[in-house]
């Protein structure tokens, strides 16, 4: 019997013994390793900007800093899970307030980021919707237990401060949207950032 005939016979007898039934393991995977359940999560957040009524060099945004497992402080946009009955825009405003202490109003959509990660025996496909927000009020606060630090960052420094490339791309979109705003629309967001740049 040739090697090819032996291989075919082994495949057929494996099927007859139930080798490819409902609990079969995909070829190439470890039969002792359980398959991870895949779940989808959706979050929203945003870039809240102060100084929209003033000179471009005075524009600043509130960022959050989180300490990673290696002890590095990584700066990012505030974001969190969409609660039942909440729109993505409402979530963005709520999460910005919870994580930074700043109240904002959604002006425009910046875009969405999606990524995969594994946690607690699950593969998670996460989509985060991001919005550009106009500063309405509030004071910076790092009271949220998930946040190490919060800061007002000049818009000109966002790209160098944000830890994640996808969020740096969203900062570019925000720059473009702000540049295209009419002077009247920018004034609707008036509020002096000078005192917050410290």
């Amino acid at each position: 019997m040739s090697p090819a005939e032996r291989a075919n016979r082994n495949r057929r007898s494996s099927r007859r013994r139930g080798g490819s039934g409902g609990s079969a393991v995909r070829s190439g995977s470890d039969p002792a390793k359980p398959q991870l359940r895949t779940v989808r999560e959706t979050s929203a957040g945003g870039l809240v900007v102060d100084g929209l009524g003033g000179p471009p060099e005075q524009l600043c945004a509130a960022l959050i800093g989180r300490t990673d497992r290696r002890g590095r402080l990584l700066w990012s946009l505030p974001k969190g899970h969409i609660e039942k009955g909440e729109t993505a825009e409402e979530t963005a405003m709520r999460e910005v307030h919870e994580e930074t202490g700043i109240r904002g109003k959604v002006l425009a959509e910046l875009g969405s980021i999606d990524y995969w990660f594994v946690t607690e025996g699950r593969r998670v496909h996460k989509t985060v919707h991001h919005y550009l927000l106009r500063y309405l009020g509030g004071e910076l606060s790092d009271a949220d237990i998930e946040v190490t630090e919060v800061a007002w960052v000049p818009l000109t420094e966002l790209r160098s401060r944000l830890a994640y490339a996808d969020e740096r791309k969203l900062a570019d979109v925000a720059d473009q949207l702000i540049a295209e705003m009419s002077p009247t629309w920018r004034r609707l967001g008036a509020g002096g950032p000078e005192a917050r740049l410290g």
Side-chain angles (χ1 to χ4, degrees), residues 11 14-25:
R11 264 197 300 267
S14 170
R15 276 187 234 136
R16 276 188 234 122
R17 288 190 305 257
S20 62
S23 63
V25 177

Side-chain angles (χ1 to χ4, degrees), residues 54-75:
E57 63 274 5
Q58 291 185 345
L59 294 173
C60 59
L63 297 185
I64 60 169
R66 291 188 169 122
T67 306
D68 73 357
R69 289 182 214 153
R70 294 187 220 166
R72 299 175 301 174
L73 184 64
L74 302 177
W75 291 97

Side-chain angles (χ1 to χ4, degrees), residues 24 31 54 68 71 82 101 113 118 137 141 157 168 172 175 190 193-196:
D68 73 357
I82 296 176
I113 296 172
V118 175
S141 168
E157 295 177 19
R168 290 192 293 272
D172 291 341
D175 282 342
E194 317 71 49
R196 294 176 181 83

Side-chain angles (χ1 to χ4, degrees), residues 16-196:
R16 276 188 234 122
R17 288 190 305 257
S20 62
S23 63
V25 177
R26 283 182 267 165
S27 65
S29 63
D30 183 352
K33 203 190 248 186
Q35 295 297 313
L36 297 177
R37 183 172 59 106
T38 300
V39 296
R40 297 186 187 286
E41 292 182 1
T42 306
S43 294
L47 180 68
V48 61
V49 177
D50 190 9
L52 288 172
E57 63 274 5
Q58 291 185 345
L59 294 173
C60 59
L63 297 185
I64 60 169
R66 291 188 169 122
T67 306
D68 73 357
R69 289 182 214 153
R70 294 187 220 166
R72 299 175 301 174
L73 184 64
L74 302 177
W75 291 97
S76 64
L77 303 177
K79 60 191 157 292
H81 291 281
I82 296 176
E83 302 293 336
K84 188 175 181 178
E86 198 174 44
T87 67
E89 292 88 351
E90 290 168 338
T91 300
M93 291 186 292
R94 177 182 53 77
E95 286 292 337
V96 164
H97 185 249
E98 286 178 6
E99 294 190 351
T100 68
I102 301 301
R103 290 186 326 279
K105 179 175 175 45
V106 170
L107 294 176
E109 186 174 343
L110 291 176
S112 299
I113 296 172
D114 73 310
Y115 53 94
W116 291 85
F117 62 95
V118 175
T119 183
E120 299 170 0
R122 302 174 303 147
R123 287 185 68 220
V124 180
H125 180 206
K126 186 163 193 165
T127 302
V128 186
H129 304 287
H130 291 275
Y131 297 88
L132 175 63
L133 287 83
R134 167 173 52 97
Y135 169 81
L136 295 178
E139 294 295 324
L140 286 182
S141 168
D142 60 5
D144 188 303
I145 59 169
E146 297 177 4
V147 175
T148 306
E149 214 174 301
V150 295
W152 283 110
V153 176
L155 247 50
T156 55
E157 295 177 19
L158 271 186
R159 287 192 59 67
S160 63
R161 194 75 77 93
L162 288 167
Y164 305 106
D166 287 339
E167 290 189 354
R168 290 192 293 272
K169 289 177 188 171
L170 294 177
D172 291 341
V173 172
D175 282 342
Q176 184 177 1
L177 286 171
I178 291 167
E180 293 170 357
M181 285 181 192
S182 72
T184 305
W185 200 51
R186 282 197 302 261
R187 277 194 295 278
L188 291 175
E194 317 71 49
R196 294 176 181 83

